[in-house]
Amino acid sequence: MRKKLVAGNWKMHGSLQQNALLLERLKAGMPGVQCAVAVCVPHPYLAQAQSLLADSLVLWGAQSVSEHASGAYTGEVSASMLREFGCHHVLVGHSERRSLFGETDAVVAAKFVAAQKEGLVPVLCLGETLAEREAGHTMAVILRQLSAVIDHAGVVALASAVVAYEPVWAIGTGVTASPAQAQEVHAAIRVRLAELDSGLAGGLKILYGGSVKPQNAVELFAQADIDGGLIGGAALVADDFLAICQAAN
Ligand code: PEP
């Protein structure tokens, strides 16, 4: 039985004051939560997360990482820097990074490896656009994005990673994949991995992300291959995020 994980992606939201309120509410709500919980905060707030969450069960992480270890890469943040601030997870390949910042499959794979080298758990985000789904290319896109990482890092690298299926058309739109649509893709990811390493496939956490709300989380998380969620908008509202975490109980 895989323990579920619910991870919040705050995107570029927050302030020291708002974060403190949100994190204190999350900490207070943790006794009612059985799944693992993480928040991926903007880089400047990692020190705050580290100091406020150190005595709690809530894990913290980042939303992006450089593929480079150090050097003349102005504006970038390395995996060793994230580790110094106690990060547990880091998102790689979020669709906003792919579409707005030009991150290719190859760059995502390099970031995945850079994160693991420093002991961080990469949360590898995969997802198709609406046009790709309507053209019947969903599985091809997901498996291409997954293969780019496997080819670069080796399939065993997935043993210390998390995968998040996030259909681009469902992120921040209020339109959620139906439980059956999500389950179909999650199962296909697991089958693909089982072909390469059957032991590993059964233990891999595959999260669903895309307009998860307290109202739809129970049904999504009840699917056999959905092991929790990656939550954007609802992660900024403590009661909603806690309700989603409880849906994973
Ligand atoms: C996300 O940002 O990864 C996400 C899933 O956002 P939302 O929950 O708002 O759709």
Side-chain angles (χ1 to χ4, degrees), residues 9 11 91 94 96 166 170-174 209-213 230-234:
N9 171 16
K11 310 198 191 211
L91 306 183
H94 190 280
E96 288 152 18
E166 295 209 302
I171 296 178
T173 60
S211 297
V212 178
K213 305 280 178 243
L230 180 54
I231 317 301

Side-chain angles (χ1 to χ4, degrees), residues 114-150:
Q116 282 196 331
K117 248 187 207 151
E118 291 295 334
L120 304 176
V121 175
V123 179
L124 172 63
C125 303
L126 313 172
E128 83 287 4
T129 63
L130 185 59
E132 288 164 340
R133 173 162 282 267
E134 287 176 347
H137 295 156
T138 298
M139 296 306 175
V141 170
I142 300 302
L143 296 181
R144 189 204 74 223
Q145 293 173 339
L146 181 64
S147 296
V149 170
I150 293 173

Side-chain angles (χ1 to χ4, degrees), residues 56-68:
S56 84
L57 290 174
V58 181
L59 303 167
W60 61 97
Q63 300 166 18
S64 184
V65 62
S66 174
E67 63 272 40
H68 304 289

